[in-house]
Amino acid sequence: MRKFTLAKPIDMSVGFKDFFDTIGLTGSGLVTKGIAAVITIIALRMLLQLNSDPKSALRKGSMAVGTLFVAVVLALYGDTLFSTVTDAKG
């Protein structure tokens, strides 16, 4: 009988560092994704709380869409944006 494997085995005995290295995230990348997720939840909550007044609904809706845009940009490019802050040269 033939042995079927989907991927080569990976030694995870060192802990979470190896796991996050295999999925391509560092500690700062996880923090950036977490912040983007929180901002996304806030933006979706803002969208769900729109009222029936058209003028204020348009203003609040545009603020929510802008907040959602910031969250998407932070999720996509956050590690690049914050790499200049964390790589201090002394």
Side-chain angles (χ1 to χ4, degrees), residues 4-45:
F4 182 71
T5 58
L6 291 175
K8 66 178 185 171
I10 298 172
D11 180 26
M12 296 285 185
S13 61
V14 179
F16 284 110
K17 183 183 178 313
D18 284 340
F19 171 70
F20 291 128
D21 286 343
T22 58
I23 61 172
L25 283 177
T26 60
S28 62
L30 284 175
V31 171
T32 305
K33 302 288 189 229
I35 292 171
V38 169
I39 292 174
T40 302
I41 291 170
I42 291 170
L44 291 176
R45 185 172 179 260

Side-chain angles (χ1 to χ4, degrees), residues 25-84:
L25 283 177
T26 60
S28 62
L30 284 175
V31 171
T32 305
K33 302 288 189 229
I35 292 171
V38 169
I39 292 174
T40 302
I41 291 170
I42 291 170
L44 291 176
R45 185 172 179 260
M46 288 169 65
L47 279 172
L48 291 174
Q49 289 184 343
L50 295 178
N51 55 6
S52 61
D53 180 32
K55 189 174 181 180
S56 70
L58 183 63
R59 184 174 63 240
K60 288 181 181 181
S62 63
M63 285 177 51
V65 169
T67 306
L68 197 57
F69 176 74
V70 168
V72 168
V73 168
L74 187 61
L76 292 175
Y77 303 112
D79 54 343
T80 307
L81 291 172
F82 293 126
S83 68
T84 58

